Amino acid sequence: MVTEIVEEKSIRRNLYRVLRKTGVTKENICLSASFIDDLNFDKIDWTIFTYYLERIFNIAVKDDELSKFGSVDDTLHYLRGELVYLSN
């Protein structure tokens, strides 16, 4: 149980790192933030976000999966599933 909490914090912290590298300010980062409405992501932001997401988490995100990311929380759920899958 303790390991899961540490991993959850680590995933969230690294996701926030990715968002910061994309240019999102700390004040605007929250789980409910919408990439389009709240964070104002454009095509360039998505490209940068995907690049750092794949590098920091050592994963490959398919375009059809990326299009399902509506909010920061959606991305967190995806990462949880992806990283559990990769660890098995």
Side-chain angles (χ1 to χ4, degrees), residues 12-29 35 39 41-42 44-57:
R12 190 178 294 195
R13 183 174 47 249
N14 283 326
L15 175 56
Y16 288 8
R17 259 181 62 209
V18 170
L19 289 165
R20 293 286 296 128
K21 288 184 175 291
T22 307
V24 178
T25 61
K26 285 182 184 180
E27 296 79 30
N28 290 333
I29 297 175
F35 287 109
L39 304 180
F41 265 39
D42 60 17
I44 294 171
D45 293 322
W46 279 112
T47 302
I48 295 168
F49 177 76
T50 305
Y51 173 82
Y52 283 112
L53 192 69
E54 291 179 336
R55 296 307 173 274
I56 288 175
F57 288 100

Side-chain angles (χ1 to χ4, degrees), residues 1-12 80 84:
M1 183 74 168
V2 174
T3 305
E4 291 176 12
I5 293 170
V6 172
E7 289 175 6
E8 174 73 20
K9 285 182 180 180
S10 177
I11 292 170
R12 190 178 294 195
R80 282 187 202 127
V84 167

Side-chain angles (χ1 to χ4, degrees), residues 50 53-61 78-79 82-83 86:
T50 305
L53 192 69
E54 291 179 336
R55 296 307 173 274
I56 288 175
F57 288 100
N58 197 27
I59 59 172
V61 182
Y78 172 81
L79 289 169
E82 194 67 18
L83 296 174
L86 291 174

